[in-house]
Structures are given as C-alpha cells and as structure tokens.
Amino acid sequence: MSSVAFRRELKGEHKEAAERLREVMMEQNIRPADLARKTGLTKAVIGCYLSGKSKMSPDAAQRIGVSLGVSAWWLLGEDGTKAI
C-alpha cells in the first residue's frame, strides 16, 4: 500500500477512528483490498473508513479488529488498549 495514500490529511468527522485504522494497517502492511477480503466488507466501505467520511459501525469494527488483532473499541476511538 502506498504511504502517499496514508499521508492525505483527514477531513472527515470520524478522524480518530480513521487514523487508528490507518496506523494498524501501515504497521501490518495491509492494503485496503486485503482488509476487504479478510473482513467481507467492500473496498469502498474500507475507503470511507480510511478517509473518515463514514462512521465505522460496531459490527464493522469487530470484523476489522479481529482481522487485524486490535480491539474494536480502540478502533472506534475509545480509550483502552490497542491489542485484543
């Protein structure tokens, strides 16, 4: 995944969740298409989460969290530990 895509300034209202998702995807070198396949979500939905345009649902956060090995609550911007 290109680091250029991750360097774009986030302008959506769901910035913290988007930043956390970007962080863990970069750490694990996972592309949006890979995450979409792992979670069953579409690439478009993953893109909306990464841009901060859409709020991540608890179900999506759970799917993504399990796939990436991080807490769904942490992904949603709540305080707490990153790892599950």
Side-chain angles (χ1 to χ4, degrees), residues 19-64:
E19 287 175 346
R20 289 181 177 196
L21 179 56
R22 285 173 182 240
E23 173 188 322
V24 74
M25 287 177 68
M26 284 181 61
E27 288 171 357
Q28 297 183 23
N29 197 30
I30 296 194
R31 297 176 304 142
D34 299 330
L35 186 59
R37 277 191 296 278
K38 286 179 146 186
T39 60
L41 300 169
T42 66
K43 288 189 292 185
V45 167
I46 299 296
C48 285
Y49 296 155
L50 288 168
S51 69
K53 290 180 183 176
S54 295
K55 181 178 180 180
M56 198 180 303
S57 71
D59 177 64
Q62 181 66 30
R63 288 185 195 188
I64 293 169

Side-chain angles (χ1 to χ4, degrees), residues 15-28 56 61-62 64-65 68-84:
K15 183 177 177 180
E16 187 169 4
E19 287 175 346
R20 289 181 177 196
L21 179 56
R22 285 173 182 240
E23 173 188 322
V24 74
M25 287 177 68
M26 284 181 61
E27 288 171 357
Q28 297 183 23
M56 198 180 303
Q62 181 66 30
I64 293 169
L68 299 177
V70 297
S71 162
W73 289 112
W74 179 83
L75 275 174
L76 291 170
E78 300 294 327
D79 292 333
T81 60
K82 181 177 178 179
I84 51 174

